[in-house]
């Protein structure tokens, strides 16, 4: 899992995967405002903003895990 990734980062995801010789099962975007807001309010990311990219990525990660058990 690649965590806190941003497309504006200097190194792109393809370069990271090539360097590590590993493809990521999931990518969690860098969404500090949503995640820190959820933590500070004692809520899940989904409860705070179900439509946020980070919420979507957590759902996608859960599907990947479920499908590979």
């Amino acid at each position: 899992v690649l965590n806190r990734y941003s497309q504006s980062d200097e190194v792109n995801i393809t370069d990271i995967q090539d360097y590590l010789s590993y493809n990521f099962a999931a990518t969690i975007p860098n969404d500090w405002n949503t995640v820190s807001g959820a933590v500070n309010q004692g809520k899940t990311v989904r409860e705070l903003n179900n439509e946020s990219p980070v919420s979507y990525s957590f759902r996608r990660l859960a599907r990947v895990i479920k499908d590979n058990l």
Side-chain angles (χ1 to χ4, degrees), residues 14-67:
T14 304
D15 292 339
I16 297 168
Q17 291 181 132
D18 288 347
Y19 180 78
L20 296 174
S21 299
Y22 185 83
N23 290 328
F24 296 108
T27 303
I28 309 297
N30 186 8
D31 188 351
W32 173 255
N33 290 333
T34 301
V35 175
S36 65
V39 169
N40 291 336
Q41 294 177 41
K43 296 181 178 183
T44 65
V45 169
R46 183 178 179 189
E47 289 172 322
L48 186 66
N49 185 352
N50 190 41
E51 300 302 317
S52 70
V54 73
S55 183
Y56 171 77
S57 68
F58 285 142
R59 288 192 303 273
R60 186 167 177 217
L61 175 58
R63 273 187 242 114
V64 168
I65 292 169
K66 178 182 97 35
D67 292 345

